[in-house]
Amino acid sequence: MKRIYNLLFALVALVAFGSCNDEWTEELYEHYVSFKAPINSNGVSRINIPYKAGQVSTYQLPVLVSGSTANQQKLTVKIGIDKDTLDVLNEARFSSRDDLYYKELDAKHYSFPETVEIQPGENSTLLNIDFNLAGLDLVEKWVLPLTIEESPTGEYTPNYRKHYRKALLRIMPFNNYSGTYSGTALMNYMKNAGDGGNDPLVKSEIVSYAVDENTIFFYAGTIDETRKDRANYKIKAFFDPESNKVNLTCDNGEVNFRTNKQATYFIKEEMDEKQPYLLKRTIMIRDMDYDYTDYTMAPGASIEYNVRGEMSILRKINTQIPNEDQAIEWD
């Protein structure tokens, strides 16, 4: 009897094994088409684009076909702009604070083909998006909202799961000096505060944005991206590659911006001891000393500040990746 049970068990296992093998000859999931553009905690997909004077910068966005078997036909996938999804995101996240809204990137700053092709036997392709970053004011948060449109011939089906059919690309141009600096050594003093009222204010992080290849901007003092009037307080920093000087300027005369000392910078590079493929590049701006007036914080009032000290940024670059634009480890 025991032998009969063993034979029956072996027969059942053999049938089950054969059934499992047969499953892999058929499609388990639909061949839906989607983007590979995972969103971050802000609801968008940040892409870092190198600023190149007089040139376009190309970003390659993956377009995928889902499924457990290979795609067997040529697919011509149509790509379009989807402003409605961007509007919904802004309303859900920022409500009445329209100054914090993501802005749709103007068409003059990008171009991409209307369709991309996925060949038989392949489950992915790349959408080449060319960006022209000249004149892009990063006071605003620019997003290129893309969608996979319906197939006019029915040859493919967009993936209707959330965040798969859409790609909300948050455009972040960068140069050799832009990024998030440490501001713990940069002191902000209120001028004419009187005895006992002049303890310095410190901002732990100072976000800077690329203006061109050798220029960044950041906001004066402790002003940051949450201020509605932040555009009034843009401080530009030009890094002179010949002299290692940093020239600070402000285009808004009402800020009463004045430098008291010539700022300089230096760059230090060293390999990481624990991860020897990582190049650590530190950029420090020293001898910063400038005055400015905050004239919009309260109606009819203005406050004068002196800012002095230094700020620094650390970038880690994976030397195993040939393209440094792709190799920088971003926050």
Side-chain angles (χ1 to χ4, degrees), residues 110-299:
Y110 68 86
S111 64
F112 60 85
E114 293 184 355
T115 60
V116 293
E117 292 185 350
I118 302 176
Q119 300 301 324
E122 298 182 358
N123 285 66
S124 66
T125 190
L126 296 172
L127 171 66
N128 291 325
I129 309 173
D130 292 333
F131 290 100
N132 178 5
L133 303 174
L136 188 64
D137 188 355
L138 297 181
V139 166
E140 305 293 351
K141 300 182 294 185
W142 300 106
V143 167
L144 177 58
L146 300 179
T147 186
I148 296 174
E149 298 187 350
E150 299 287 344
S151 170
T153 61
E155 67 183 86
Y156 66 86
T157 302
N159 193 327
Y160 294 106
R161 292 181 63 192
K162 190 175 182 180
H163 308 314
Y164 283 76
R165 186 184 184 184
K166 314 293 183 180
L168 299 178
L169 304 181
R170 169 79 162 97
I171 313 304
M172 289 299 294
F174 71 92
N175 60 24
N176 289 335
Y177 312 102
S178 61
T180 301
Y181 283 76
S182 170
T184 56
L186 191 62
M187 305 293 114
N188 297 263
Y189 295 94
M190 186 184 300
K191 300 178 69 175
N192 304 320
D195 294 338
N198 202 19
D199 293 332
L201 302 174
V202 175
K203 187 164 64 170
S204 61
E205 293 185 341
I206 301 172
V207 181
S208 69
Y209 304 89
V211 176
D212 56 39
E213 283 190 309
N214 295 308
T215 307
I216 62 174
F217 83 81
F218 49 86
Y219 298 109
T222 57
I223 295 169
D224 61 21
E225 293 72 16
T226 63
R227 280 272 294 259
K228 288 186 176 183
D229 53 0
R230 59 189 180 275
N232 297 325
Y233 298 96
K234 290 170 57 177
I235 306 300
K236 292 181 181 179
F238 169 72
F239 291 74
D240 188 341
E242 302 296 329
S243 66
N244 278 18
K245 293 180 179 180
V246 180
N247 298 319
L248 304 177
T249 58
C250 179
D251 294 335
N252 182 7
E254 294 183 89
V255 172
N256 299 318
F257 181 80
R258 182 180 71 253
T259 57
N260 303 311
K261 199 172 183 180
Q262 176 64 61
T264 60
Y265 75 97
F266 81 93
I267 299 176
K268 177 183 178 182
E269 294 183 345
E270 60 182 353
M271 304 305 296
D272 189 278
E273 294 181 357
K274 296 183 178 180
Q275 297 172 295
Y277 59 89
L278 284 182
L279 172 66
K280 297 191 297 184
R281 177 180 295 161
T282 300
I283 306 171
M284 178 175 287
I285 307 176
R286 301 178 293 188
D287 302 321
M288 297 182 69
D289 190 338
Y290 67 85
D291 297 335
Y292 80 97
T293 301
D294 185 343
Y295 67 99
T296 58
M297 175 175 284

Side-chain angles (χ1 to χ4, degrees), residues 79-94:
I79 310 297
I81 299 295
D82 181 25
K83 186 177 184 300
D84 291 343
T85 298
L86 187 60
D87 291 340
V88 170
L89 174 67
N90 281 328
E91 183 63 29
R93 286 188 170 266
F94 305 114

